[in-house]
Amino acid sequence: MKKHRNVKGLFSYLYNRTVIVGISILMQAAVLVLMLWRFSQYFPAFYVFSVIVSVLEVLRLVNNNRSNPGYKIAWIILIMGLPIFGGIFYLLFSNKRLSARQRRRMQSINEKVRQYGTFEFQEQLDRQLEDQCPAAARQSRYLSRTANSPLYQNTSVEYFPLGEYKFARMVEELEKAEHFIFLEYFIIQEGKMWDTILEILKRKAAQGVEVRLLYDDVGCLLTLPYHYDRQLEKAGIQCCVFNPFVPLLNARMNNRDHRKICVIDGWVGFTGGINLADEYINEYEKHGHWKDTAVMLKGDAVWSLTVLFLSMWSHVRGVEEDFSRFSPGRYQPRAIPPKGYVQPYGDDPLDGEPVGETVYIDLIYNAKKYIYICTPYLIVDHEMVLALTAAAKSGVDVRIITPHVPDKWYVHAVTRAYYPVLIQAGVKVYEYTPGFIHAKSFVVDGEYATVGTINMDYRSLYLHFECGVWMYKTPCIQQMEEDFMRTLEQSGEVSLDSYRMTWWKQLGRGILRVFAPLM
């Protein structure tokens, strides 16, 4: 019996998806090496060909106005440093191009948001905000015109300083669902959090509630079984997988769906940094205490989260969705009195517009008194560094909290590589001592704030599908500020003296920083 269990466990391991993926990639790498060895007699011609390819790729990179300068520099160093393989590596792994067919399909997401992401009172609210605060109106108009994300009032915002609180409220609201439930998450993992939610979803689906789930395949590569979507479909839950992972030596897999969205009856919406896995609610300790944040919207602004979900769903499912079935106000039980302004927004990596980064930079440049930032990663480009340092030099109190316990050592090393230039300019940097901080939030002058899924790193700012909520003078901003100050009490300030290191560590972090855009 014991032998049978061992054999079964062995087969289960061998057929594990990650093992199959690893073997597939190793086999492809072995074939590539074998081909190079077999054709070694043609090395001089191959060398000339490779150098020509490298030079052409560098010229194309330099003249590409849409690529981030840091991204260009990293690739140029790699290409010129490896003249034989550099250009070929770039062709295979740069992942900045899609086929015409793929681009048309992905652009349908933008078209849907543009078509349906409108709001009846947008112009009236824009004029109203302009009268109150021209600076806020400028930020809002950018989101309206560039990200097709309208401005709303008549929306309440509840802030959650920890994943445990968001989980409890989410369960409470899911139990109230009568018409539809939409979920879009980067990571889902079986455990207390997901098992509790899944039981509700199955029960609601059996009652006739329309339940849809969209998850990212790479995000769930190590956390869900292969073809998990088929299991959910059998349980009555409509399920789609974003950009299924294909174990090939190419780079078509960088554009991930990093959003975290839950919409219930078009009336309640959740977003923030919290995925559906137990470490996010501190059910088990993965990297020390897990600090994360989220918001719950009720009212008109939930429509933007609905549009973001349905646009992605239409693309992945390959269907023409009838958005009008889920229009705002259709199932809303009551009106919400206006208290401040709320503007959910999405960021699409394929439209050439860095919406998430622009929102952050606008907030920094509009600050008069202080900027409080929480981010798990601090891997930023020249524009962001310039904005943060200029604000600090002008007398704005800039404080940033990052993790003390990392989830990825090399990413944490790059984050720390940015500390000196910021600290020297007057930015105060802190590390969250109890563990890992996964929150992505800004609070500015007690008037502005944003909470969402967008990390301060190249992947979030340039490669992933993301979302967030921009706010102006909403009551929850005070709660966010108070939470930041409590978190600050649990964090240690980083000084230049404590940051001194050996020359080889400085060299290592410098190299990691150069190649940060490729990580």
Side-chain angles (χ1 to χ4, degrees):
M1 188 71 177
K2 183 177 180 181
K3 183 178 179 181
H4 175 73
R5 282 199 302 268
N6 289 339
V7 171
K8 185 177 179 181
L10 177 63
F11 273 99
S12 175
Y13 176 75
L14 291 176
Y15 282 97
N16 183 281
R17 189 182 180 195
T18 55
V19 174
I20 295 172
V21 166
I23 292 173
S24 175
I25 291 176
L26 286 174
M27 289 175 63
Q28 292 172 69
V31 169
L32 181 62
V33 170
L34 180 62
M35 288 175 61
L36 293 174
W37 176 72
R38 290 295 301 271
F39 288 98
S40 59
Q41 59 183 310
Y42 303 108
F43 180 78
F46 178 71
Y47 179 81
V48 172
F49 170 77
S50 298
V51 170
I52 292 172
V53 169
S54 296
V55 171
L56 291 175
E57 291 303 328
V58 167
L59 289 173
R60 192 159 68 87
L61 257 174
V62 170
N63 289 281
N64 185 347
N65 295 326
R66 300 184 70 178
S67 289
N68 177 271
Y71 178 86
K72 290 183 183 182
I73 291 170
W75 270 114
I76 288 171
I77 291 174
L78 187 63
I79 291 171
M80 301 312 292
L82 301 172
I84 298 178
F85 300 110
I88 295 174
F89 283 169
Y90 179 77
L91 287 172
L92 288 174
F93 301 113
S94 66
N95 194 40
K96 297 303 285 186
R97 299 177 305 279
L98 294 172
S99 68
R101 179 173 175 272
Q102 288 172 317
R103 183 164 287 279
R104 282 196 302 271
R105 286 195 64 209
M106 296 296 271
Q107 287 298 336
S108 68
I109 300 172
N110 251 343
E111 291 167 7
K112 292 289 186 183
V113 173
R114 188 178 299 111
Q115 181 180 355
Y116 293 100
T118 58
F119 185 59
E120 182 181 358
F121 304 107
Q122 175 63 46
E123 292 186 9
Q124 176 185 330
L125 287 178
D126 182 53
R127 290 193 299 270
Q128 181 178 308
L129 184 56
E130 177 71 35
D131 292 338
Q132 292 183 26
C133 180
R138 285 195 297 272
Q139 294 182 53
S140 175
R141 278 196 297 272
Y142 169 80
L143 287 172
S144 299
R145 296 173 181 177
T146 309
N148 302 295
S149 303
L151 179 68
Y152 301 89
Q153 284 191 310
N154 303 331
T155 304
S156 67
V157 185
E158 184 174 346
Y159 172 73
F160 303 106
L162 287 172
E164 297 92 306
Y165 302 148
K166 184 252 190 176
F167 175 47
R169 289 290 279 128
M170 188 172 169
V171 167
E172 181 182 334
E173 295 297 331
L174 285 170
E175 291 284 10
K176 300 175 186 177
E178 296 180 355
H179 306 283
F180 63 88
I181 297 171
F182 296 156
L183 297 169
E184 180 179 346
Y185 280 86
F186 180 62
I187 294 174
I188 298 174
Q189 185 171 20
E190 295 170 312
K192 177 182 176 180
M193 188 180 192
W194 174 238
D195 292 348
T196 302
I197 292 171
L198 181 58
E199 187 277 327
I200 298 173
L201 298 181
K202 289 179 178 178
R203 181 159 34 86
K204 288 295 179 179
Q207 294 170 2
V209 174
E210 186 172 352
V211 181
R212 303 186 189 185
L213 172 66
L214 175 63
Y215 65 83
D216 185 89
D217 201 36
V218 167
C220 298
L221 186 65
L222 302 176
T223 61
L224 290 180
Y226 190 40
H227 289 319
Y228 187 68
D229 54 320
R230 297 180 183 178
Q231 297 181 32
L232 297 181
E233 290 276 355
K234 291 178 182 177
I237 298 169
Q238 299 177 56
C239 188
C240 286
V241 181
F242 178 83
N243 202 4
F245 180 77
V246 179
L248 296 175
L249 283 176
N250 62 56
R252 299 297 187 191
M253 310 310 296
N254 261 347
N255 298 129
R256 307 314 316 175
D257 184 1
H258 194 244
R259 294 171 180 168
K260 294 93 179 168
I261 293 174
C262 172
V263 175
I264 302 167
D265 291 345
W267 159 252
V268 178
F270 292 85
T271 192
I274 300 162
N275 283 297
L276 305 183
D278 282 357
E279 66 263 30
Y280 293 85
I281 58 172
N282 288 295
E283 189 61 26
Y284 81 96
E285 191 173 290
K286 189 173 184 180
H287 304 294
H289 183 265
W290 194 287
K291 165 68 177 173
D292 217 328
T293 59
V295 289
M296 179 182 71
L297 310 181
K298 282 190 176 183
D300 291 347
V302 178
W303 174 240
S304 284
L305 296 180
T306 306
V307 169
L308 288 175
F309 175 88
L310 288 174
S311 301
M312 187 68 80
W313 180 270
S314 299
H315 160 70
V316 177
R317 197 79 164 188
V319 297
E320 282 296 322
E321 189 63 63
D322 181 9
F323 282 52
S324 64
R325 291 203 299 125
F326 312 100
S327 61
R330 187 179 179 91
Y331 302 116
Q332 292 187 10
R334 65 184 185 278
I336 299 292
K339 291 183 179 179
Y341 297 86
V342 181
Q343 198 161 11
Y345 59 93
D347 194 358
D348 180 339
L350 303 176
D351 62 3
E353 184 67 34
V355 173
E357 183 178 41
T358 304
V359 169
Y360 288 168
I361 289 177
D362 281 350
L363 287 169
I364 293 168
Y365 277 125
N366 277 285
K368 296 181 177 64
K369 300 176 183 176
Y370 61 82
I371 306 163
Y372 297 157
I373 301 171
C374 291
T375 180
Y377 315 119
L378 190 60
I379 305 172
V380 288
D381 59 16
H382 176 70
E383 289 80 2
M384 186 69 75
V385 170
L386 184 63
L388 290 167
T389 54
K393 290 175 181 178
S394 67
V396 175
D397 181 12
V398 184
R399 305 188 189 196
I400 305 173
I401 303 179
T402 65
H404 181 70
V405 179
D407 63 337
K408 305 176 186 71
W409 69 266
Y410 53 92
V411 176
H412 194 56
V414 181
T415 290
R416 286 180 161 177
Y418 282 90
Y419 288 174
V421 65
L422 297 174
I423 294 171
Q424 287 169 357
V427 177
K428 298 174 183 177
V429 179
Y430 302 80
E431 289 188 350
Y432 180 63
T433 309
F436 186 68
I437 187 164
H438 192 251
K440 311 97 166 47
S441 62
F442 274 55
V443 179
V444 177
D445 294 345
E447 294 185 337
Y448 303 91
T450 185
V451 176
T453 67
I454 308 169
N455 298 317
M456 293 180 73
D457 67 359
Y458 283 88
R459 288 202 161 272
S460 268
L461 297 175
Y462 294 101
L463 294 177
H464 292 335
F465 287 87
E466 304 279 2
C467 64
V469 179
W470 178 89
M471 293 169 277
Y472 177 69
K473 289 195 172 179
T474 56
C476 77
I477 293 175
Q478 183 178 349
Q479 298 165 20
M480 291 179 62
E481 182 178 331
E482 291 169 355
D483 179 48
F484 183 90
M485 300 312 292
R486 286 194 298 270
T487 307
L488 204 63
E489 292 174 359
Q490 299 176 281
S491 305
E493 184 171 1
V494 180
S495 67
L496 287 177
D497 290 336
S498 66
Y499 191 79
R500 298 189 188 282
M501 65 187 79
T502 58
W503 68 267
W504 56 270
K505 278 191 176 181
Q506 290 180 352
L507 177 63
R509 287 183 178 175
I511 293 171
L512 286 172
R513 181 171 168 178
V514 169
F515 292 105
L518 308 184
M519 292 182 181

